[in-house]
Amino acid sequence: MRSLTTGIVAAVLMWLAASPAVAGPTLLFEPATGKVLYAEDIDDIWHPASLTKLMTAYVAFEAIKKGEIHLDDKIPCSLVATLQPPSKVGLKVGQTLTVQQALQAVIIKSANDVTVMLAEAISGSEAAFITRMNETAKRLGMTHTSFVNTNGLPDPEQLTSARDIAKIARAVTTEYPQYASYWAMPAMHIGKRRLGSHNALLKTFPGADGLKTGFTCDSGYNVVAAATRDDHRLMAVILGESSGNERAIRAASLLEYGFQNYDWKQIFNTTTIDNQPMDPNFKTVLSVRDTVAAWGCGGHRRHMAGGKHRSKHKIAASKQKSAKKDASAPDDASAALKGPETDGGVPDDAAAPPKAASQATAD
Protein backbone atom coordinates (compact mmCIF):
# COMPACT_ATOMS: atom_id res chain seq x y z
CA MET A 1 0.00 0.00 0.00
CA ARG A 2 2.92 2.31 0.81
CA SER A 3 4.40 1.80 -2.65
CA LEU A 4 1.01 2.46 -4.25
CA THR A 5 0.65 5.72 -2.31
CA THR A 6 4.20 6.76 -3.18
CA GLY A 7 3.46 6.10 -6.83
CA ILE A 8 0.28 8.15 -6.71
CA VAL A 9 2.05 11.09 -5.06
CA ALA A 10 4.88 10.94 -7.63
CA ALA A 11 2.38 10.89 -10.50
CA VAL A 12 0.49 13.82 -8.98
CA LEU A 13 3.65 15.91 -8.62
CA MET A 14 4.68 15.17 -12.20
CA TRP A 15 1.23 16.12 -13.47
CA LEU A 16 1.16 19.35 -11.48
CA ALA A 17 4.57 20.33 -12.79
CA ALA A 18 3.60 19.69 -16.40
CA SER A 19 -0.01 20.85 -16.43
CA PRO A 20 -1.23 24.31 -17.39
CA ALA A 21 -2.95 26.62 -14.94
CA VAL A 22 -6.22 25.42 -13.50
CA ALA A 23 -9.09 26.33 -15.82
CA GLY A 24 -11.53 27.20 -13.08
CA PRO A 25 -12.15 27.56 -9.35
CA THR A 26 -10.71 24.94 -7.00
CA LEU A 27 -11.37 24.15 -3.35
CA LEU A 28 -10.14 21.44 -0.97
CA PHE A 29 -11.86 21.25 2.41
CA GLU A 30 -12.74 19.03 5.34
CA PRO A 31 -16.52 18.53 5.51
CA ALA A 32 -16.59 17.59 9.21
CA THR A 33 -15.21 20.99 10.24
CA GLY A 34 -15.51 23.09 7.08
CA LYS A 35 -11.76 23.83 7.24
CA VAL A 36 -10.27 25.08 3.98
CA LEU A 37 -7.04 23.30 3.00
CA TYR A 38 -6.64 24.92 -0.43
CA ALA A 39 -8.66 27.55 -2.27
CA GLU A 40 -8.42 29.27 -5.62
CA ASP A 41 -11.04 31.66 -7.06
CA ILE A 42 -13.76 30.08 -4.90
CA ASP A 43 -16.08 33.09 -5.21
CA ASP A 44 -15.98 33.33 -9.01
CA ILE A 45 -19.47 32.79 -10.40
CA TRP A 46 -19.88 29.60 -12.41
CA HIS A 47 -22.53 27.45 -14.07
CA PRO A 48 -23.08 24.40 -11.81
CA ALA A 49 -24.27 21.97 -14.49
CA SER A 50 -25.36 18.76 -12.74
CA LEU A 51 -23.81 19.79 -9.42
CA THR A 52 -27.28 21.35 -9.17
CA LYS A 53 -28.46 17.87 -8.23
CA LEU A 54 -26.73 18.16 -4.85
CA MET A 55 -29.43 20.67 -3.95
CA THR A 56 -32.19 18.61 -5.61
CA ALA A 57 -31.19 15.65 -3.45
CA TYR A 58 -30.90 17.80 -0.31
CA VAL A 59 -34.43 19.17 -0.70
CA ALA A 60 -35.73 15.65 -1.35
CA PHE A 61 -33.98 14.32 1.77
CA GLU A 62 -35.51 17.19 3.72
CA ALA A 63 -38.98 16.30 2.40
CA ILE A 64 -38.50 12.67 3.46
CA LYS A 65 -37.43 13.80 6.94
CA LYS A 66 -40.59 15.91 7.23
CA GLY A 67 -42.78 13.02 6.11
CA GLU A 68 -43.89 14.75 2.93
CA ILE A 69 -42.77 11.75 0.90
CA HIS A 70 -41.37 8.29 1.65
CA LEU A 71 -38.61 6.18 0.11
CA ASP A 72 -41.03 3.43 -0.93
CA ASP A 73 -43.60 5.82 -2.47
CA LYS A 74 -44.01 5.39 -6.22
CA ILE A 75 -43.82 8.58 -8.27
CA PRO A 76 -45.00 8.86 -11.90
CA CYS A 77 -43.21 10.16 -14.95
CA SER A 78 -44.98 13.17 -16.45
CA LEU A 79 -44.88 14.54 -19.99
CA VAL A 80 -42.67 17.40 -18.76
CA ALA A 81 -40.21 14.88 -17.34
CA THR A 82 -40.02 12.92 -20.62
CA LEU A 83 -39.12 16.10 -22.50
CA GLN A 84 -35.88 16.61 -20.55
CA PRO A 85 -32.76 15.94 -22.65
CA PRO A 86 -30.12 13.38 -21.61
CA SER A 87 -28.63 12.28 -19.35
CA LYS A 88 -31.91 10.52 -18.44
CA VAL A 89 -33.52 7.23 -17.51
CA GLY A 90 -35.99 7.53 -20.39
CA LEU A 91 -39.27 6.47 -18.81
CA LYS A 92 -42.56 6.81 -20.63
CA VAL A 93 -45.46 8.92 -19.38
CA GLY A 94 -47.16 7.12 -16.50
CA GLN A 95 -44.30 4.79 -15.66
CA THR A 96 -43.14 4.96 -12.05
CA LEU A 97 -40.08 4.72 -9.83
CA THR A 98 -39.89 4.50 -6.07
CA VAL A 99 -38.49 7.60 -4.40
CA GLN A 100 -35.41 5.57 -3.48
CA GLN A 101 -34.87 4.54 -7.10
CA ALA A 102 -35.44 8.13 -8.20
CA LEU A 103 -32.86 9.53 -5.79
CA GLN A 104 -30.30 6.95 -6.83
CA ALA A 105 -30.97 7.66 -10.51
CA VAL A 106 -30.44 11.38 -9.91
CA ILE A 107 -27.23 10.86 -7.93
CA ILE A 108 -25.68 8.00 -9.91
CA LYS A 109 -26.99 8.44 -13.46
CA SER A 110 -27.55 12.21 -13.15
CA ALA A 111 -30.99 11.67 -14.66
CA ASN A 112 -32.49 14.96 -15.80
CA ASP A 113 -35.97 13.50 -16.27
CA VAL A 114 -36.04 12.08 -12.75
CA THR A 115 -35.27 15.43 -11.07
CA VAL A 116 -38.52 16.69 -12.56
CA MET A 117 -40.38 13.60 -11.31
CA LEU A 118 -39.11 14.21 -7.79
CA ALA A 119 -39.90 17.91 -7.96
CA GLU A 120 -43.47 17.30 -9.08
CA ALA A 121 -44.03 14.59 -6.47
CA ILE A 122 -42.72 16.72 -3.60
CA SER A 123 -43.88 20.23 -4.52
CA GLY A 124 -46.58 19.71 -7.14
CA SER A 125 -44.57 21.38 -9.89
CA GLU A 126 -40.97 21.94 -10.86
CA ALA A 127 -41.42 25.70 -10.41
CA ALA A 128 -42.54 25.29 -6.80
CA PHE A 129 -39.63 22.95 -6.10
CA ILE A 130 -37.16 25.44 -7.61
CA THR A 131 -38.49 28.09 -5.25
CA ARG A 132 -37.73 25.73 -2.39
CA MET A 133 -34.22 25.12 -3.77
CA ASN A 134 -33.49 28.84 -3.81
CA GLU A 135 -34.90 29.35 -0.32
CA THR A 136 -32.68 26.53 0.93
CA ALA A 137 -29.64 28.00 -0.80
CA LYS A 138 -30.26 31.30 0.95
CA ARG A 139 -30.61 29.56 4.33
CA LEU A 140 -27.32 27.73 3.80
CA GLY A 141 -25.53 30.99 2.97
CA MET A 142 -25.02 30.23 -0.71
CA THR A 143 -24.76 33.89 -1.68
CA HIS A 144 -23.74 33.42 -5.34
CA THR A 145 -26.26 30.73 -6.21
CA SER A 146 -29.50 30.87 -8.15
CA PHE A 147 -31.48 27.97 -9.61
CA VAL A 148 -33.92 28.07 -12.52
CA ASN A 149 -34.15 24.32 -13.06
CA THR A 150 -33.75 21.15 -11.01
CA ASN A 151 -31.08 19.42 -13.05
CA GLY A 152 -28.46 21.93 -14.19
CA LEU A 153 -29.25 21.94 -17.89
CA PRO A 154 -27.84 25.04 -19.62
CA ASP A 155 -29.39 28.35 -18.60
CA PRO A 156 -27.61 31.70 -18.20
CA GLU A 157 -29.33 32.24 -14.84
CA GLN A 158 -28.28 28.89 -13.31
CA LEU A 159 -25.34 30.12 -11.23
CA THR A 160 -23.15 29.20 -8.27
CA SER A 161 -19.56 29.32 -6.95
CA ALA A 162 -17.08 26.77 -5.63
CA ARG A 163 -17.65 28.02 -2.08
CA ASP A 164 -21.43 27.64 -2.45
CA ILE A 165 -21.05 24.14 -3.91
CA ALA A 166 -18.90 23.21 -0.92
CA LYS A 167 -21.65 24.44 1.42
CA ILE A 168 -24.36 22.28 -0.13
CA ALA A 169 -22.00 19.29 -0.43
CA ARG A 170 -21.15 19.60 3.25
CA ALA A 171 -24.80 20.03 4.24
CA VAL A 172 -26.15 17.11 2.23
CA THR A 173 -23.55 14.70 3.61
CA THR A 174 -23.35 15.82 7.24
CA GLU A 175 -27.09 16.33 7.76
CA TYR A 176 -28.13 13.19 5.91
CA PRO A 177 -25.40 10.57 6.49
CA GLN A 178 -27.96 7.75 6.10
CA TYR A 179 -27.79 8.28 2.33
CA ALA A 180 -23.98 8.08 2.12
CA SER A 181 -24.13 4.84 0.14
CA TYR A 182 -26.05 6.57 -2.68
CA TRP A 183 -23.13 8.93 -3.38
CA ALA A 184 -20.62 6.07 -3.38
CA MET A 185 -22.47 3.69 -5.72
CA PRO A 186 -20.69 3.22 -9.08
CA ALA A 187 -23.87 1.86 -10.69
CA MET A 188 -27.50 0.91 -10.12
CA HIS A 189 -30.10 -1.18 -11.92
CA ILE A 190 -33.66 -0.35 -12.91
CA GLY A 191 -35.06 -3.64 -14.08
CA LYS A 192 -32.41 -5.13 -16.35
CA ARG A 193 -30.94 -1.76 -17.24
CA ARG A 194 -27.62 -0.78 -15.68
CA LEU A 195 -27.10 2.92 -14.99
CA GLY A 196 -23.46 3.84 -14.37
CA SER A 197 -21.91 6.78 -12.53
CA HIS A 198 -19.93 9.45 -14.37
CA ASN A 199 -17.55 9.78 -11.39
CA ALA A 200 -14.37 8.00 -12.53
CA LEU A 201 -12.75 8.38 -9.10
CA LEU A 202 -15.15 5.85 -7.59
CA LYS A 203 -13.28 3.18 -9.57
CA THR A 204 -9.76 4.59 -9.58
CA PHE A 205 -9.00 6.56 -6.40
CA PRO A 206 -8.38 4.75 -3.09
CA GLY A 207 -11.05 5.69 -0.58
CA ALA A 208 -13.29 7.58 -3.02
CA ASP A 209 -16.92 7.67 -1.83
CA GLY A 210 -18.71 10.42 -3.76
CA LEU A 211 -20.16 12.79 -4.72
CA LYS A 212 -21.25 14.30 -8.05
CA THR A 213 -20.02 15.36 -11.47
CA GLY A 214 -21.37 17.97 -13.87
CA PHE A 215 -20.78 19.05 -17.45
CA THR A 216 -22.04 21.56 -19.96
CA CYS A 217 -20.05 23.33 -22.66
CA ASP A 218 -20.13 26.64 -20.79
CA SER A 219 -19.30 25.21 -17.36
CA GLY A 220 -16.70 22.70 -18.49
CA TYR A 221 -16.19 19.52 -16.50
CA ASN A 222 -17.07 19.96 -12.82
CA VAL A 223 -16.91 17.61 -9.85
CA VAL A 224 -17.32 17.45 -6.11
CA ALA A 225 -15.06 14.52 -5.22
CA ALA A 226 -15.00 12.97 -1.75
CA ALA A 227 -12.73 10.34 -0.23
CA THR A 228 -12.24 8.81 3.19
CA ARG A 229 -9.08 7.27 4.63
CA ASP A 230 -8.60 6.16 8.24
CA ASP A 231 -11.98 7.71 9.13
CA HIS A 232 -10.80 11.08 7.79
CA ARG A 233 -12.86 12.56 4.95
CA LEU A 234 -11.89 15.29 2.50
CA MET A 235 -13.74 16.91 -0.40
CA ALA A 236 -12.48 18.67 -3.51
CA VAL A 237 -14.50 21.02 -5.70
CA ILE A 238 -13.19 21.35 -9.27
CA LEU A 239 -14.89 23.63 -11.80
CA GLY A 240 -14.22 24.28 -15.46
CA GLU A 241 -11.80 21.53 -16.48
CA SER A 242 -11.37 20.86 -20.19
CA SER A 243 -12.08 17.12 -20.12
CA GLY A 244 -13.36 14.36 -17.90
CA ASN A 245 -9.84 13.01 -17.50
CA GLU A 246 -8.45 16.39 -16.44
CA ARG A 247 -11.32 16.73 -13.98
CA ALA A 248 -10.57 13.34 -12.42
CA ILE A 249 -6.80 13.91 -12.31
CA ARG A 250 -7.10 17.34 -10.74
CA ALA A 251 -9.55 16.09 -8.11
CA ALA A 252 -7.38 13.09 -7.32
CA SER A 253 -4.28 15.29 -7.01
CA LEU A 254 -5.96 17.63 -4.54
CA LEU A 255 -7.38 14.83 -2.42
CA GLU A 256 -4.03 13.02 -2.35
CA TYR A 257 -2.29 16.25 -1.40
CA GLY A 258 -4.79 16.72 1.42
CA PHE A 259 -4.34 13.24 2.84
CA GLN A 260 -0.55 13.35 2.60
CA ASN A 261 -0.20 16.79 4.19
CA TYR A 262 -2.92 16.82 6.83
CA ASP A 263 -1.14 16.93 10.19
CA TRP A 264 -1.26 18.42 13.69
CA LYS A 265 -0.80 21.94 12.30
CA GLN A 266 -4.39 21.83 11.03
CA ILE A 267 -5.46 22.19 14.67
CA PHE A 268 -4.51 25.84 14.33
CA ASN A 269 -6.25 26.30 10.99
CA THR A 270 -9.37 28.35 11.67
CA THR A 271 -10.22 29.23 8.07
CA THR A 272 -13.49 27.64 6.97
CA ILE A 273 -15.75 27.84 3.94
CA ASP A 274 -18.01 30.07 6.06
CA ASN A 275 -15.51 32.55 7.51
CA GLN A 276 -12.95 32.87 4.71
CA PRO A 277 -13.25 36.49 3.50
CA MET A 278 -15.15 36.98 0.27
CA ASP A 279 -12.92 37.90 -2.64
CA PRO A 280 -13.95 41.47 -3.57
CA ASN A 281 -12.58 40.92 -7.08
CA PHE A 282 -14.47 37.74 -7.88
CA LYS A 283 -15.22 37.23 -11.56
CA THR A 284 -18.69 37.30 -12.99
CA VAL A 285 -19.90 34.26 -14.87
CA LEU A 286 -17.92 33.30 -17.96
CA SER A 287 -17.90 30.43 -20.41
CA VAL A 288 -15.06 27.94 -20.94
CA ARG A 289 -16.60 26.28 -24.00
CA ASP A 290 -13.63 27.26 -26.21
CA THR A 291 -11.31 25.13 -24.07
CA VAL A 292 -13.60 22.11 -23.64
CA ALA A 293 -12.56 18.93 -25.44
CA ALA A 294 -16.06 17.85 -26.40
CA TRP A 295 -17.68 17.84 -29.82
CA GLY A 296 -19.79 20.93 -30.42
CA CYS A 297 -18.25 23.02 -27.64
CA GLY A 298 -15.02 24.64 -28.76
CA GLY A 299 -14.47 23.20 -32.20
CA HIS A 300 -12.18 20.41 -30.97
CA ARG A 301 -12.29 17.16 -32.87
CA ARG A 302 -13.98 14.59 -30.73
CA HIS A 303 -11.94 11.44 -30.07
CA MET A 304 -13.79 8.21 -30.64
CA ALA A 305 -13.46 4.94 -28.75
CA GLY A 306 -10.21 3.21 -29.64
CA GLY A 307 -8.47 6.53 -30.26
CA LYS A 308 -9.82 7.01 -33.78
CA HIS A 309 -11.12 10.28 -35.19
CA ARG A 310 -14.29 10.65 -37.15
CA SER A 311 -13.80 11.10 -40.88
CA LYS A 312 -14.07 14.57 -42.39
CA HIS A 313 -17.46 13.95 -43.95
CA LYS A 314 -18.89 12.76 -40.61
CA ILE A 315 -17.47 15.81 -38.86
CA ALA A 316 -19.03 18.09 -41.48
CA ALA A 317 -22.37 16.32 -41.14
CA SER A 318 -22.29 16.68 -37.38
CA LYS A 319 -21.45 20.37 -37.70
CA GLN A 320 -24.51 20.87 -39.88
CA LYS A 321 -26.71 19.06 -37.36
CA SER A 322 -25.15 21.01 -34.52
CA ALA A 323 -25.83 24.29 -36.32
CA LYS A 324 -29.49 23.35 -36.80
CA LYS A 325 -29.77 22.39 -33.12
CA ASP A 326 -28.08 25.60 -31.99
CA ALA A 327 -30.59 27.67 -33.91
CA SER A 328 -33.39 26.32 -31.73
CA ALA A 329 -31.52 25.56 -28.50
CA PRO A 330 -28.27 27.55 -28.36
CA ASP A 331 -27.47 26.59 -24.75
CA ASP A 332 -27.65 22.80 -25.18
CA ALA A 333 -24.42 21.07 -24.18
CA SER A 334 -22.70 18.32 -26.12
CA ALA A 335 -21.15 15.02 -25.21
CA ALA A 336 -17.80 14.51 -23.67
CA LEU A 337 -15.17 12.09 -24.81
CA LYS A 338 -15.83 8.39 -24.49
CA GLY A 339 -13.79 5.95 -22.49
CA PRO A 340 -12.65 6.68 -18.95
CA GLU A 341 -13.84 10.30 -19.07
CA THR A 342 -17.55 9.57 -19.11
CA ASP A 343 -18.93 6.30 -17.86
CA GLY A 344 -20.93 4.98 -20.78
CA GLY A 345 -19.90 7.84 -23.08
CA VAL A 346 -22.48 10.28 -21.71
CA PRO A 347 -21.34 13.36 -19.81
CA ASP A 348 -24.04 14.17 -17.32
CA ASP A 349 -25.88 17.35 -18.32
CA ALA A 350 -26.60 18.10 -21.93
CA ALA A 351 -28.82 18.06 -24.92
CA ALA A 352 -30.25 15.21 -26.93
CA PRO A 353 -27.73 13.43 -29.20
CA PRO A 354 -27.94 13.49 -33.01
CA LYS A 355 -26.21 10.09 -32.88
CA ALA A 356 -25.15 7.65 -30.22
CA ALA A 357 -21.56 8.50 -31.05
CA SER A 358 -22.09 12.19 -30.36
CA GLN A 359 -24.16 12.29 -27.21
CA ALA A 360 -24.83 15.48 -25.30
CA THR A 361 -25.58 15.77 -21.60
CA ALA A 362 -25.06 17.54 -18.28
CA ASP A 363 -23.25 15.14 -15.92
Side-chain angles (χ1 to χ4, degrees):
M1 182 65 185
R2 182 181 297 273
S3 62
L4 174 61
T5 300
T6 302
I8 292 173
V9 173
V12 166
L13 292 175
M14 290 176 61
W15 180 83
L16 288 173
S19 65
V22 180
T26 308
L27 176 61
L28 177 67
F29 70 103
E30 183 181 52
T33 62
K35 286 184 179 181
V36 173
L37 307 183
Y38 178 83
E40 184 173 346
D41 300 327
I42 64 171
D43 295 313
D44 285 3
I45 300 177
W46 213 260
H47 296 299
S50 274
L51 300 188
T52 296
K53 296 179 174 88
L54 292 165
M55 179 61 79
T56 305
Y58 181 90
V59 174
F61 294 156
E62 185 178 60
I64 293 169
K65 180 180 179 179
K66 293 180 177 180
E68 299 172 34
I69 200 166
H70 306 89
L71 284 175
D72 57 357
D73 288 348
K74 291 186 176 182
I75 60 174
C77 183
S78 67
L79 176 60
V80 175
T82 66
L83 296 177
Q84 303 303 304
S87 179
K88 62 197 292 184
V89 171
L91 299 179
K92 296 179 181 179
V93 174
Q95 289 186 308
T96 63
L97 295 174
T98 65
V99 171
Q100 177 171 289
Q101 287 176 318
L103 282 165
Q104 291 175 350
V106 166
I107 291 168
I108 299 164
K109 173 61 176 173
S110 201
N112 296 326
D113 49 352
V114 182
T115 66
V116 175
M117 292 171 61
L118 279 169
E120 292 173 340
I122 292 169
S123 298
S125 69
E126 186 180 20
F129 190 87
I130 293 165
T131 296
R132 189 161 170 174
M133 292 170 69
N134 284 311
E135 290 172 349
T136 303
K138 184 176 180 181
R139 174 170 60 82
L140 294 175
M142 298 169 65
T143 57
H144 284 177
T145 296
S146 67
F147 297 112
V148 295
N149 61 50
T150 58
N151 41 38
L153 284 161
D155 190 290
E157 300 304 316
Q158 190 94 352
L159 304 171
T160 193
S161 67
R163 186 201 298 260
D164 283 2
I165 289 295
K167 289 181 179 181
I168 183 58
R170 185 186 183 202
V172 78
T173 53
T174 58
E175 294 181 32
Y176 298 102
Q178 63 269 41
Y179 303 107
S181 63
Y182 293 9
W183 304 105
M185 293 171 65
M188 66 173 295
H189 287 84
I190 294 179
K192 296 182 179 180
R193 184 178 178 190
R194 180 186 181 276
L195 304 177
S197 172
H198 303 278
N199 186 355
L201 271 68
L202 293 176
K203 298 179 180 179
T204 61
F205 188 79
D209 53 15
L211 286 174
K212 191 73 193 74
T213 60
F215 165 83
T216 64
C217 286
D218 288 317
S219 74
Y221 289 81
N222 306 333
V223 67
V224 179
T228 304
R229 295 184 188 171
D230 299 324
D231 296 323
H232 184 207
R233 197 179 205 204
L234 297 178
M235 287 186 185
V237 180
I238 306 293
L239 303 180
E241 285 296 333
S242 61
S243 71
N245 280 339
E246 291 295 319
R247 170 177 69 186
I249 292 170
R250 183 63 182 175
S253 73
L254 277 177
L255 290 169
E256 192 64 47
Y257 166 84
F259 285 122
Q260 295 299 318
N261 292 279
Y262 194 97
D263 56 24
W264 61 269
K265 289 180 287 186
Q266 286 300 326
I267 297 174
F268 304 101
N269 177 10
T270 60
T271 302
T272 71
I273 56 176
D274 294 313
N275 67 23
Q276 179 161 327
M278 181 80 70
D279 182 359
N281 299 313
F282 67 83
K283 300 180 185 67
T284 56
V285 65
L286 46 81
S287 170
V288 295
R289 67 168 52 234
D290 288 341
T291 68
V292 172
W295 181 254
C297 289
H300 299 277
R301 287 202 297 176
R302 185 174 182 274
H303 295 272
M304 303 307 292
K308 296 180 180 180
H309 295 292
R310 287 193 286 183
S311 62
K312 291 182 179 180
H313 74 274
K314 288 185 178 179
I315 292 173
S318 291
K319 284 184 176 181
Q320 291 177 352
K321 290 184 178 181
S322 178
K324 291 179 180 179
K325 177 185 282 283
D326 287 345
S328 59
D331 289 325
D332 283 351
S334 292
L337 307 178
K338 285 191 174 181
E341 298 191 2
T342 66
D343 193 337
V346 182
D348 331 47
D349 325 338
K355 287 186 178 182
S358 182
Q359 298 182 11
T361 65
D363 61 25

